């Protein structure tokens, strides 16, 4: 579940790649700056933990609703932020107003070596809706799977160094 989307996102972002895989604790400046190996790209995509994707999805669905105007939307944003922070990414909330309500997008950046190069963006919306959105909008397919895939992509890609920055977005 979600593995295909995650692999596709990783493969799309791979064009910006300029380093080798290392544990997250290795500082980016200590990582090599070049590679050209289809095998490494395949290994990267195969390192996606589909169980982790499912755990992220289950955590989001367990909130019962992620309707934008429900209190649970804040819990979802905090969970997503925590996942991104555990990847060592630079994480921010992008606050905006929808009517009189303050909303939060969760934006995480994996900084690239070339600050002037355009960034790549991976995103999904984490809010959900239904006929009874305040009580029952678990949103597995509205877009829980996409959000789980973005978090899983961040978990994999954070172990690599890229020429361009990659921005992971969870939209409310």
């Amino acid at each position: 579940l979600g593995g295909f989307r995650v692999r596709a996102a990783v493969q799309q972002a791979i064009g910006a790649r300029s380093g080798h895989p290392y544990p997250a604790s290795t500082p980016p400046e200590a990582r090599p700056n070049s590679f050209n190996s289809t095998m490494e790209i395949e290994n990267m995509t195969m390192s996606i933990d589909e169980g982790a994707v499912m755990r992220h999805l289950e955590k989001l669905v367990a909130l019962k609703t992620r309707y934008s105007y429900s209190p649970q939307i804040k819990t979802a944003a905090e969970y997503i932020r925590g996942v991104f922070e555990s990847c060592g990414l630079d994480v921010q909330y992008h606050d905006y107003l929808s009517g009189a309500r303050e909303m939060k997008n969760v934006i995480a950046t994996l900084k690239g070596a070339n600050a002037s190069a355009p960034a790549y963006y991976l995103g999904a919306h984490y809010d959900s809706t239904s006929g009874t959105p305040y009580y029952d909008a678990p949103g597995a397919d509205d877009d829980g799977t996409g959000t789980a895939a973005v978090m899983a992509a961040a978990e994999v890609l954070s172990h690599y160094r890229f020429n361009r920055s990659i921005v992971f977005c969870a939209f409310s």
Side-chain angles (χ1 to χ4, degrees), residues 7 14 22 27 42 49-50 58 60 62 66 72 74 77 80 97 100-101 124-125 127 147 158-159 167 172:
R7 283 190 184 95
I14 207 66
Y22 280 84
E42 289 175 11
D49 179 354
E50 291 182 12
E58 289 170 349
L60 294 172
R66 293 185 316 282
Q72 292 91 326
K74 181 179 178 185
I80 296 163
L97 291 176
R101 298 242 185 181
H125 70 93
D127 59 338
T147 303
S158 67
H159 293 280
V167 181
S172 64

Side-chain angles (χ1 to χ4, degrees), residues 63-85:
L63 296 173
K64 305 293 185 209
T65 183
R66 293 185 316 282
Y67 182 55
S68 293
Y69 301 118
S70 73
Q72 292 91 326
I73 196 73
K74 181 179 178 185
T75 304
E78 290 168 352
Y79 172 72
I80 296 163
R81 181 182 185 114
V83 170
F84 288 154
E85 287 176 340

Side-chain angles (χ1 to χ4, degrees), residues 2-15 44-45 48 120-123 146 149-154 157 162 166 168:
F4 176 77
R5 285 185 185 178
V6 174
R7 283 190 184 95
V10 170
Q11 288 170 336
Q12 183 177 13
I14 207 66
M44 185 189 312
T45 59
I48 296 164
Y120 287 96
Y121 291 82
L122 300 173
V150 170
M151 288 187 283
L157 294 174
F162 297 86
I166 301 175
F168 303 92

Side-chain angles (χ1 to χ4, degrees), residues 7-133:
R7 283 190 184 95
V10 170
Q11 288 170 336
Q12 183 177 13
I14 207 66
R17 172 89 164 64
S18 68
H20 290 270
Y22 280 84
S25 60
T26 302
E29 60 275 4
R31 299 176 192 158
N33 286 324
S34 65
F35 91 95
N36 186 12
S37 169
T38 300
M39 179 69 82
E40 285 187 85
I41 295 169
E42 289 175 11
N43 288 339
M44 185 189 312
T45 59
M46 294 310 294
S47 69
I48 296 164
D49 179 354
E50 291 182 12
V53 176
M54 185 58 113
R55 285 188 294 280
H56 292 317
L57 180 59
E58 289 170 349
K59 184 76 169 182
L60 294 172
V61 169
L63 296 173
K64 305 293 185 209
T65 183
R66 293 185 316 282
Y67 182 55
S68 293
Y69 301 118
S70 73
Q72 292 91 326
I73 196 73
K74 181 179 178 185
T75 304
E78 290 168 352
Y79 172 72
I80 296 163
R81 181 182 185 114
V83 170
F84 288 154
E85 287 176 340
S86 74
C87 297
L89 303 175
D90 176 29
V91 185
Q92 302 175 25
Y93 285 126
H94 169 255
D95 298 324
Y96 68 97
L97 291 176
S98 176
R101 298 242 185 181
E102 184 177 295
M103 309 300 244
K104 293 185 180 302
N105 294 328
V106 187
I107 310 297
T109 303
L110 176 60
K111 294 198 185 288
N114 183 350
S116 64
Y120 287 96
Y121 291 82
L122 300 173
H125 70 93
Y126 70 94
D127 59 338
S128 62
T129 193
S130 74
T132 55

